[in-house]
Amino acid sequence: MEVYDRAHELARALARSNEYKDYRLCRAKLESDSSNMEMLKDFRQKQIAVQLALISGKEPKEADKKAYEESYRIISLN
């Protein structure tokens, strides 16, 4: 039972942390803009395509890598 109690104690401490509060504010701001959410969704799809290629032992297509990198660059600026 002690592990269970410690896990809940940790969860409460994390929920009270400034970092988590900042994360929640940023997440809410992101979700309030549908175009930003669409960009993030598109980025994640490109990221998954590149990662799947790497996991399967293949080199990702150059076009996929460039699209992923460009999406990352745009999202980073936002």
Side-chain angles (χ1 to χ4, degrees):
M1 206 54 169
E2 183 179 334
V3 172
Y4 180 80
D5 294 336
R6 293 283 186 173
H8 281 276
E9 182 181 324
L10 176 60
R12 286 189 296 275
L14 289 172
R16 290 189 305 264
S17 72
N18 289 332
E19 293 83 1
Y20 183 69
K21 290 175 185 174
D22 290 345
Y23 164 77
R24 296 278 304 197
L25 287 172
C26 290
R27 182 73 187 192
K29 185 177 176 182
L30 172 70
E31 290 173 348
S32 70
D33 187 337
S34 62
S35 64
N36 283 345
M37 285 300 293
E38 191 61 35
M39 272 194 291
L40 182 60
K41 181 181 174 184
D42 182 55
F43 169 74
R44 286 181 175 161
Q45 289 173 341
K46 291 173 182 172
Q47 182 182 36
I48 289 170
V50 169
Q51 288 176 341
L52 285 175
L54 291 171
I55 289 170
S56 66
K58 299 175 185 172
E59 183 65 26
K61 295 177 185 175
E62 192 61 33
D64 289 343
K65 283 176 31 179
K66 284 185 179 184
Y68 166 71
E69 290 168 359
E70 181 64 17
S71 290
Y72 179 77
R73 188 184 67 74
I74 292 169
I75 285 176
S76 295
L77 294 174
N78 263 345

